[in-house]
Amino acid sequence: MKPPTHSDRKVVPAVMLTKKERKKLRRQNRAELLKEDQEKIRLGLIPPPEPKVKISNLMRVLGTEAVQDPTKVEEFVRNQMAKRQKLHEEHNASRKLTDAERAAKKKKKLMENTSLVVNVCVYRVKDLSDPAVKFKLEANCNQLHMTGAVLLYKNLNLVIVEGGPKQQRKFKRLMLNRIKWAETNSRIKDDEEFTREKNTCSLVWEGTVKTRSFGPMIFKMCPTITFARDFLKKLGIEHYWDKAQSDAIIQQSDF
């Protein structure tokens, strides 16, 4: 019996070359191309390239011509330098990606194959009333092409995100390092008479499942604990809420 994440396709490991081997391979490829060009010049298929003249080597390359008319030779050299620079810039411009190609490349870099297994992370946040934080969560989730949901209930807010391992690493850095949760609560403290507890975010659970449970990131207001649990129970993942709730009770009892 095969595991559910097993694939019949053979996995061929990529060949990892060292820096020295990459330089050697590049040197060999360039030598072969140069040899081909030399053969074509020898057979008369292409004209020989002009001598690469610069201000620093014009006397050595042109010899007596540079002595006879220095002004004319200098103008010739500067025109050749400008021509080489223009050719170089045109070559770079031809290889430059368009806006659509650049966006597609970035998307391909972020997209991961989750057809066999989906990585899931569940976070518990004490206070998610700051609209700026909600925007960050939704924007980053969409930019990383992840799916998930945010359940909002008083001091127990659940953030569930689904994606690949690379996407989860980036989102985990956002949740646990980049967002300063203690500062998000201080913005609201001045406007209200009572003092709030220090805002925190913790990772409740991370693991893998076979299929996704959500679509694009949604925010769900939950008036009661039962409502939140029933919402997840319809998707067969009510244990996410149970784990977060039990961790919150344990944390409160420690204080």
Side-chain angles (χ1 to χ4, degrees), residues 45-82:
L45 299 175
I46 57 174
E50 295 180 356
K52 189 175 181 180
V53 187
K54 299 182 286 186
I55 298 294
S56 59
N57 70 349
L58 65 89
M59 291 298 295
R60 181 159 41 86
V61 176
L62 299 176
T64 55
E65 295 180 21
V67 178
Q68 291 172 1
D69 196 347
T71 306
K72 184 178 178 181
V73 169
E74 184 180 352
E75 184 183 359
F76 168 75
V77 172
R78 292 193 182 280
N79 289 338
Q80 195 184 64
M81 289 168 61

Side-chain angles (χ1 to χ4, degrees), residues 190-202:
D190 299 334
D191 301 332
E192 299 184 357
E193 295 178 359
F194 63 90
T195 57
R196 289 170 176 259
E197 296 180 6
K198 185 180 178 182
N199 196 10
T200 57
C201 173
S202 58

Side-chain angles (χ1 to χ4, degrees), residues 131-143:
V133 175
K134 292 179 183 177
F135 173 78
K136 284 180 185 177
L137 296 182
E138 187 175 12
N140 279 269
C141 193
N142 292 334
Q143 288 169 4

